[in-house]
Amino acid sequence: MGAATTLTANSHLLLPTYRSLFGLSPFQITVVDSKSLVSCPNNNNIVKRRYAVAGGGGGVRCKAVASETVTTKRSGYQIQTLTNWLLKQEQTGVIDAELTIVLSSISIACKQIASLVQRASISNLTGVQGAVNIQGEDQKKLDVVSNEVFSNCLRSSGRTGIIASEEEDVPVAVEESYSGNYIAVLDPLDGSSNIDAAVSTGSIFGIYSPNDECLADIGDDSSSNLGNAEQRCVVNVCQPGSNLLAAGYCMYSSSIIFVLTLGNGVFAFTLEPMYGEFVLTQENIQIPKAGKIYSFNEGNYQLWDDKLKKYIDDLKDPGPSGKPYSARYIGSLVGDFHRTLLYGGIYGYPRDKKSKNGKLRLLYECAPMSFIVEQAGGKGSDGHQRVLDIQPVEVHQRVPLYIGSVEEVEKLEKYLA
């Protein structure tokens, strides 16, 4: 080869990986004769290796150059799946391998439930099961099935020690757990009353750190059923939302959207039906600081206290702008929350004369959603204090919830003060 040929770092040769492997600044690749060596500076020494160049027997020598900005054009076929994203979080030390497996198991459960929801009418899964859950609510057939799906996926992961679900009377200790032992809190199918009308529904989850004392108790009680051990584990499940390691939800609608936070931002993944993988579609979601949408069940208006009525009345007043707030209410927490997260505004489920503490459960609805919204720059409140600071005293404890844009939630708190 007569003259050396210089290629930039974003050429089609797959050598830019040297930059990630050896911490190089942007570099040039110089093609020389076949006996030359690749010389790439490492932090401590020089790495030398012989390479063949396609179309000729030449080798390459790479050398660091000045800090020239390299813009890599993203391929139209380049995607990032939830699995790949979780592995990157593991590699950077955000989560450990055990939590990666737990979250992957949850995503698999969500895929199964999405399929069941879409085929509910065909598979005769609409209507009620005929049983009543611990909250006194009629269980839909899909409530029961979804709870079983989540339970099976988390058990089979071998990394979950305790499962607390809206559909279970008490937390369930997992005998099959051998590593990780995370605590999972679940609302397996939120908004199931909408199933028969094919309105959006979702699954909500939160993950807490393992508790060794509880697991030791379970091991000691292996000779009989786990009823007593479950009761001893209740106190370990009842943790404030500020202890959450991860939280998220999966919305079953026109798209299947999996939203997740590990405490370092909020990320959304959309299920690609062609090959059955969740694909990253939104990074570092930020809720607007304010909004013009409110989401309350105004059918209960007459049951609210006067301060809340005044707040709602003022939202309806056009004021100087000449435009009042818009009312949007689906009746599915996941659906209403997802819209609020993207567009801003406020979602509320207050206490009233019938439900003294509201109807939403603190552990597996209010706390995970508040963790998500705070990671997106929003706020979750019970009207007087931060939801994540509330210490649960029972597994199925209910609290009022006001969640959404910071300015909107703070405005409501002033009315209720």
Side-chain angles (χ1 to χ4, degrees):
M1 185 177 298
T5 306
T6 300
L7 304 174
T8 59
N10 61 353
S11 297
H12 294 296
L13 290 175
L14 300 179
L15 291 171
T17 38
Y18 267 96
R19 188 167 54 184
S20 59
L21 289 174
F22 303 113
L24 292 178
S25 58
F27 55 83
Q28 291 181 205
I29 300 171
T30 306
V31 179
V32 291
D33 62 29
S34 61
K35 295 184 180 180
S36 297
L37 299 176
V38 175
S39 299
C40 296
N42 196 359
N43 290 334
N44 302 318
N45 53 25
I46 299 295
V47 179
K48 297 184 178 181
R49 188 171 298 172
R50 191 182 303 271
Y51 280 87
V53 177
V60 295
R61 178 183 295 117
C62 65
K63 59 182 180 180
V65 294
S67 55
E68 180 181 332
T69 303
V70 177
T71 56
T72 305
K73 186 177 180 181
R74 185 171 177 174
S75 165
Y77 297 98
Q78 182 181 351
I79 60 171
Q80 187 169 11
T81 65
L82 174 61
T83 302
N84 290 340
W85 186 84
L86 287 172
L87 289 173
K88 286 187 177 180
Q89 304 308 303
E90 181 188 331
Q91 289 167 1
T92 55
V94 177
I95 56 176
D96 61 19
E98 313 298 341
L99 186 52
T100 300
I101 293 172
V102 172
L103 293 170
S104 294
S105 299
I106 289 174
S107 73
I108 292 170
C110 290
K111 291 177 190 177
Q112 292 184 48
I113 294 170
S115 177
L116 291 168
V117 168
Q118 290 172 337
R119 294 178 54 82
S121 297
I122 299 170
S123 304
N124 194 29
L125 287 174
T126 55
V128 296
Q129 175 76 10
V132 176
N133 67 15
I134 187 65
Q135 284 80 245
E137 300 166 337
D138 289 330
Q139 287 183 307
K140 296 283 187 177
K141 292 178 182 178
L142 270 174
D143 282 325
V144 178
V145 174
S146 299
N147 186 61
E148 188 173 344
V149 168
F150 264 110
S151 180
N152 289 341
C153 285
L154 288 169
R155 285 174 183 273
S156 63
S157 75
R159 270 74 179 177
T160 310
I162 307 171
I163 302 171
S165 168
E166 179 182 349
E167 305 303 328
E168 302 284 354
D169 295 358
V170 293
V172 177
V174 180
E175 293 175 284
E176 299 89 341
S177 181
Y178 57 85
S179 178
N181 301 315
Y182 287 94
I183 298 169
V185 293
L186 305 165
D187 183 352
L189 193 60
D190 171 75
S192 57
S193 59
N194 291 320
I195 284 288
D196 295 1
V199 177
S200 350
T201 53
S203 300
I204 307 171
F205 63 89
I207 306 294
Y208 289 94
S209 60
N211 188 293
D212 294 335
E213 293 178 11
C214 182
L215 295 166
D217 287 343
I218 294 172
D220 295 339
D221 197 30
S222 57
S223 59
S224 61
N225 67 40
L226 295 174
N228 293 331
E230 290 167 359
Q231 295 294 344
R232 288 196 295 272
C233 290
V234 167
V235 69
N236 299 304
V237 171
C238 290
Q239 300 184 43
S242 55
N243 288 358
L244 279 164
L245 300 177
Y249 60 86
C250 188
M251 184 174 69
Y252 313 117
S253 186
S254 56
S255 297
I256 312 302
I257 300 176
F258 188 91
V259 175
L260 176 64
T261 180
L262 303 175
N264 61 346
V266 180
F267 299 81
F269 303 80
T270 303
L271 184 64
E272 166 54 82
M274 190 176 299
Y275 46 86
E277 288 283 355
F278 282 109
V279 175
L280 181 63
T281 47
Q282 290 174 285
E283 299 182 63
N284 293 310
I285 298 171
Q286 289 291 302
I287 186 172
K289 296 295 182 186
K292 283 293 183 179
I293 298 175
Y294 72 96
S295 186
F296 287 69
N297 182 2
E298 292 190 77
N300 295 326
Y301 180 87
Q302 294 301 331
L303 303 176
W304 294 340
D305 63 42
D306 292 337
K307 291 180 179 179
L308 184 59
K309 288 181 182 177
K310 178 70 167 64
Y311 168 75
I312 294 295
D313 291 342
D314 286 352
L315 293 185
K316 295 177 181 179
D317 184 352
S321 68
K323 187 176 181 181
Y325 278 60
S326 297
R328 299 284 186 273
Y329 187 74
I330 298 171
S332 167
L333 173 58
V334 170
D336 282 313
F337 177 82
H338 189 69
R339 182 198 58 248
T340 304
L341 181 66
L342 298 183
Y343 301 159
I346 185 169
Y347 169 88
Y349 206 114
R351 59 167 54 95
D352 57 42
K353 293 176 182 177
K354 286 196 307 181
S355 305
K356 300 298 182 183
N357 294 310
K359 293 192 70 175
L360 298 180
R361 268 67 55 156
L362 172 60
L363 262 180
Y364 31 78
E365 290 175 322
C366 301
M369 289 306 204
S370 294
F371 187 49
I372 294 168
V373 82
E374 286 196 8
Q375 287 298 315
K379 187 171 184 178
S381 170
D382 70 349
H384 303 283
Q385 65 175 320
R386 180 176 178 242
V387 168
L388 295 184
D389 290 336
I390 301 174
Q391 173 65 53
V393 294
E394 57 183 73
V395 176
H396 299 291
Q397 179 177 340
R398 300 172 191 259
V399 295
L401 177 66
Y402 305 98
I403 195 167
S405 301
V406 169
E407 292 182 12
E408 303 303 331
V409 175
E410 289 179 348
K411 181 192 299 183
L412 176 134
E413 286 178 328
K414 290 177 182 176
Y415 275 83
L416 299 183

